[in-house]
Amino acid sequence: MIRPFFLENGELLVLDQRLLPREERWLCVRDCEGAADVITTMAVRGAPAIGCVAAWGMAFAARDLAAVNSGDDVRREALREAGRRLVATRPTAVNLPWAVTRMLGVADATPTGEWTERLSREAAAIVVEDLSFCRAIGRHGLEALPPGRLTVLTHCNAGALATAGYGTALGVIRALAGEGRLARVYADDTRPRQQGARLTAWELHREGLPVTLIADTVAGMLMQRRAIDAVVTGADRVAANGDSANKIGTYQLAVLAAHHGVPFFIAAPTSTIDMACGTGDDIVIEERDPDEVRRIDDVLVAPADVDVFNPAFDVTPGSLITAIITERGVVRPSYRESLASMMQK
Ligand code: MRU
């Protein structure tokens, strides 16, 4: 099974996703700064995966602070600072603050002398949980999607590489394949960083699943030809009313799907649901380096100094989402009520 990171001899080995599919190189993360670095540079990406790596960053920070000869208050404040450093790496995915807050809660309830063991255990638990949540999302997806053998369209990479393994949107797709219900997956290229081409196509192709890579601009034509039975994507933050931030381009897919009567699903663990965020308007959208659009890898494909707008995510209104598939079950509109009742369980 593809894993984007694993712990070995007290260090976190992280697959450098920037080099895929050309090369499989593993980076060694030994401390909090190393964790912040692999998230910032997008060596690791995908909302649940960066939450897991941030949890390990907190465990490493706690281990290093437990060894420092200073007072408890100083160490506790330094751990909070480490959390702020990790949360600042990428603003949109709520899994980052979710994981950091959970780790700080455990640290608050633990004597500093026991931090090393206790926080490592918590980070490991977050990873194990994420993997089991992805499998549960896959199972729930089988009931949420239309019956029969399906051709599914997905965007970006919400796969094993974006989680602790197995994936959310690709978890649903893997579950369909396991039941003999997957006819084909169309994977959007996903400009500008091409997570669909470099990661989703790589993941699925390597497993022998029927995947066809398309340029982002092909989705409308396929829907017009009635070639798509369902769209399934992941999410980086789901607001209390169901508005969902995901990779740029997701919103236009949802509009196309609504126009063509194709059901549109979000697959995400509850760690991606932010009940403190009232609507999509409250979600901070990360803007990235203009060169991601001007260049493909290092090759310039536009004037070097042309003005660029490069938002990394967009928000799909809950009104365009047929259902949200989580590890706890499937919620449907009206999301304000259905999400509130699921999150209380
Ligand atoms: O910028 P990225 O590659 O981190 O964006 C990833 C996505 O948008 C994914 O769809 C989302 O994080 C869900 S991953 C299970």
Side-chain angles (χ1 to χ4, degrees):
M1 190 189 70
I2 296 165
R3 284 182 303 173
F5 49 79
F6 63 93
L7 196 75
E8 195 172 79
N9 301 325
E11 297 171 340
L12 194 66
L13 292 175
V14 174
L15 181 59
D16 190 343
Q17 298 187 31
R18 295 166 302 180
L19 303 179
L20 291 174
R22 287 186 299 269
E23 186 185 337
E24 289 176 42
R25 188 187 300 169
W26 292 84
L27 304 169
C28 189
V29 171
R30 300 188 174 87
D31 53 22
C32 177
E33 200 46 43
D37 188 59
V38 289
I39 298 170
T40 305
T41 58
M42 290 183 68
V44 64
R45 32 62 56 201
I50 60 178
C52 291
V53 172
W56 273 112
M58 290 298 284
F60 293 151
R63 175 205 61 200
D64 293 345
L65 287 165
V68 166
N69 194 12
S70 55
D72 265 11
D73 288 352
V74 175
R75 284 194 275 209
R76 288 186 186 280
E77 178 46 31
L79 191 64
R80 279 192 287 276
E81 183 52 35
R84 286 190 285 272
R85 166 82 184 96
L86 288 161
V87 168
T89 51
R90 296 197 70 191
T92 304
V94 73
N95 303 64
L96 262 185
W98 172 87
V100 165
T101 303
R102 176 161 157 178
M103 295 297 285
L104 283 173
V106 171
D108 284 348
T110 305
T112 50
E114 294 168 28
W115 269 4
T116 304
E117 193 275 326
R118 183 64 191 89
L119 270 76
S120 294
R121 200 148 38 91
E122 195 65 15
I126 286 175
V127 174
V128 170
E129 271 172 30
D130 187 65
L131 183 55
S132 79
F133 288 172
C134 285
R135 291 190 186 278
I137 288 169
R139 286 194 299 276
H140 292 307
L142 292 176
E143 294 145 37
L145 265 64
R149 227 168 117 74
L150 303 176
T151 297
V152 178
L153 175 69
T154 192
H155 191 64
C156 192
N157 174 266
L161 289 167
T163 59
Y166 199 70
T168 56
L170 296 196
V172 172
I173 284 165
R174 286 191 165 95
L176 282 175
E179 297 286 303
R181 287 178 52 198
L182 183 69
R184 180 146 299 275
V185 185
Y186 283 99
D188 272 354
D189 173 33
T190 317
R191 272 287 280 155
R193 290 187 66 98
Q194 297 179 286
Q195 290 93 328
R198 295 185 299 103
L199 308 177
T200 297
W202 179 76
E203 245 193 80
L204 297 178
H205 190 58
R206 188 180 142 117
E207 255 174 62
L209 294 176
V211 59
T212 300
L213 176 65
I214 53 170
D216 296 331
T217 40
V218 177
M221 186 237 213
L222 285 173
M223 289 189 209
Q224 196 178 41
R225 290 185 172 185
R226 309 238 157 270
I228 305 294
D229 299 309
V231 179
V232 188
T233 76
D236 284 78
R237 191 183 295 244
V238 177
N241 70 343
D243 292 353
S244 299
N246 191 51
K247 180 52 54 194
I248 190 73
T250 304
Y251 168 58
Q252 63 194 28
L253 274 183
V255 172
L256 279 171
H259 180 75
H260 291 287
V262 175
F264 179 94
F265 299 90
I266 291 283
T270 49
S271 53
T272 303
I273 296 169
D274 184 0
M275 296 303 283
C277 189
T279 75
D281 291 343
D282 304 325
I283 301 177
V284 176
I285 300 293
E286 175 183 7
E287 279 188 44
R288 297 189 56 83
D289 187 341
D291 269 346
E292 288 184 349
V293 182
R294 292 188 197 117
R295 294 171 186 273
I296 295 181
D297 288 336
D298 283 337
V299 180
L300 199 60
V301 293
D305 56 353
V306 71
D307 188 41
V308 166
F309 176 48
N310 185 20
F313 302 98
D314 57 24
V315 175
T316 298
S319 58
L320 295 179
I321 300 170
T322 308
I324 300 174
I325 306 163
T326 77
E327 80 280 5
R328 295 188 197 172
V330 179
V331 289
R332 294 180 187 271
S334 155
Y335 290 117
R336 212 171 266 295
E337 288 75 39
S338 59
L339 283 172
S341 118
M342 182 184 68
M343 294 304 278
Q344 270 160 15
K345 282 181 196 157

